[in-house]
Amino acid sequence: MAAVAGEPEVIRDKAAMRAWSRRQRAEGKTVVLVPTMGFLHEGHLSLVSAAAAVPGPVAVVVSIYVNPSQFAPTEDLATYPSDLAGDLRKLASTGAVHAVFNPPDLYYRGAAVSGRPAEAPGGAAASSCLEAGGDGHETWIRVERLEKGLCGASRPVFFRGVATVVAKLFNVVEPDVAMFGKKDYQQWRLICRMVRDLDFAVEIIGSEIVREADGLAMSSRNVRLSPEEREKALSISRSLVNARTAALNNSNSASEHIKDQIVQTLTEAGGRVDYVEIVEQESLVPVETIDRPVVICVAAWFGKVRLIDNIEIHMQS
């Protein structure tokens, strides 16, 4: 793809975004969407590079929107990091981004409820205010089986919010292709299933996890780790690599034994384990023995920061 001259166009209006995409397609370009919540790091920029590498003339759109509906009232919406100016500089430096979609809000908030004004976007209760009654947003998408387990067990509203906002982005941006990082493995599989089941004309491409030099999976939340917590968090990637090695060296390894080893490693490092699961790669169904392609998924707290990571294991049948 030829380098993009100048700054990417910043679009905030939904109708303007849709019209922009339709113009690009009329010119024979493939519209490629990279959905993000901002505070971009090298992992996000790798998605941009992958988007630019899609065959044919492409028009790359990066969305920056912190989606309130995927946060429960007790979660970290209010403290989720943001740096729009920095994000725009990073995207401009790639020479690959044609437009940035940065809507002020993607949800219809409706009129005041019981004499109170509708919640401002990004407010502390923004996720729950969408259900506060009145004539505001009330339509949700559920991928009923894939949203259960893993992150869905401890974050019951998360995937409802993810599926809904991604569907909204697809309806607004109308991309031909969308890029998702495989660090959020369950999210990637869930979006693939939603696209299949609802006949979205969008090709989903999963991009490999990008890691820091010491192995920590890149995440916008890493900035909230203290130096000591960050060092302890390296136990996640180390335990996953060790688990993969053990599984590949011992065919039909027992999942429970490997899971117990990971839990022990994380706990001894000072982490608080949310879950460790070994599941089939597409169905996300737990397996008892590692005798087929699986993915080991981990979520753990270090300090006040919840981190997720995973590693695929491609067993030969």
Side-chain angles (χ1 to χ4, degrees):
M1 186 195 79
V4 178
E7 304 282 329
E9 180 178 353
V10 178
I11 302 171
R12 293 176 61 80
D13 178 72
K14 290 187 280 189
M17 181 70 253
R18 187 177 292 113
W20 185 93
S21 292
R22 291 179 179 180
R23 286 196 303 272
Q24 304 305 311
R25 191 171 293 104
E27 295 173 5
K29 297 175 183 176
T30 297
V31 178
V32 186
L33 171 65
V34 181
T36 82
M37 295 210 302
F39 209 71
L40 305 181
H41 50 66
E42 288 299 322
H44 296 111
L45 300 184
S46 75
L47 293 175
V48 171
S49 297
V54 169
V58 298
V60 177
V61 183
V62 176
S63 64
I64 297 177
Y65 179 67
V66 179
N67 175 37
S69 72
Q70 68 192 58
F71 292 82
T74 57
E75 292 180 338
D76 59 351
L77 173 62
T79 59
Y80 196 86
S82 65
D83 178 16
L84 180 59
D87 290 344
L88 294 177
R89 285 194 298 270
K90 291 174 184 176
L91 295 175
S93 71
T94 68
V97 179
H98 298 78
V100 173
F101 181 44
N102 178 227
D105 196 9
L106 279 176
Y107 295 91
Y108 181 73
R109 300 286 167 165
V113 179
S114 301
R116 295 181 288 108
E119 182 77 23
S127 59
S128 58
C129 81
L130 295 173
E131 304 177 50
D135 61 349
H137 183 98
E138 61 174 321
T139 303
W140 304 99
I141 293 178
R142 308 295 296 253
V143 184
E144 294 187 348
R145 187 178 56 75
L146 286 185
E147 74 174 25
K148 296 176 181 176
L150 302 177
C151 286
S154 61
R155 305 187 71 189
V157 304
F158 178 70
F159 287 116
R160 182 194 73 167
V162 167
T164 301
V165 80
V166 171
K168 289 172 73 66
L169 286 170
F170 286 174
N171 284 332
V172 172
V173 180
E174 297 183 343
D176 301 292
V177 180
M179 314 297 301
F180 287 85
K182 289 166 72 172
K183 181 177 76 71
D184 300 287
Y185 201 90
Q186 186 177 14
Q187 172 179 282
W188 169 53
R189 289 299 190 187
L190 179 139
I191 295 303
C192 290
R193 188 62 50 85
M194 180 189 78
V195 165
R196 184 199 73 178
D197 290 352
L198 298 185
D199 297 305
F200 280 101
V202 183
E203 177 186 357
I204 305 300
I205 296 179
S207 189
E208 298 301 324
I209 296 173
V210 178
R211 300 184 181 277
E212 305 283 357
D214 55 13
L216 186 67
M218 288 189 177
S219 168
S220 298
R221 289 183 168 93
N222 289 350
V223 70
R224 294 170 49 205
L225 293 166
S226 70
E228 181 182 8
E229 290 165 350
R230 192 188 183 288
E231 182 65 28
K232 293 177 178 179
L234 296 179
S235 60
I236 300 177
S237 58
R238 290 172 183 162
S239 67
L240 287 172
V241 171
N242 290 339
R244 181 175 62 182
T245 300
L248 292 174
N249 289 338
N250 299 278
S251 58
N252 297 318
S253 298
S255 294
E256 284 301 321
H257 176 64
I258 289 181
K259 287 162 56 177
D260 289 345
Q261 288 182 321
I262 295 173
V263 170
Q264 180 179 347
T265 299
L266 299 182
T267 303
E268 290 177 350
R272 178 163 54 90
V273 175
D274 183 349
Y275 66 78
V276 176
E277 295 291 348
I278 303 177
V279 299
E280 291 182 345
Q281 290 184 9
E282 291 196 24
S283 68
L284 305 185
V285 172
V287 301
E288 294 184 0
T289 58
I290 303 177
D291 56 1
R292 71 205 81 170
V294 301
V295 57
I296 306 177
C297 298
V298 170
W301 293 84
F302 286 86
K304 295 183 179 180
V305 183
R306 182 180 181 273
L307 301 175
I308 61 172
D309 202 347
N310 67 78
I311 195 165
E312 291 179 318
I313 302 177
H314 299 280
M315 300 296 292
Q316 298 297 321
S317 57

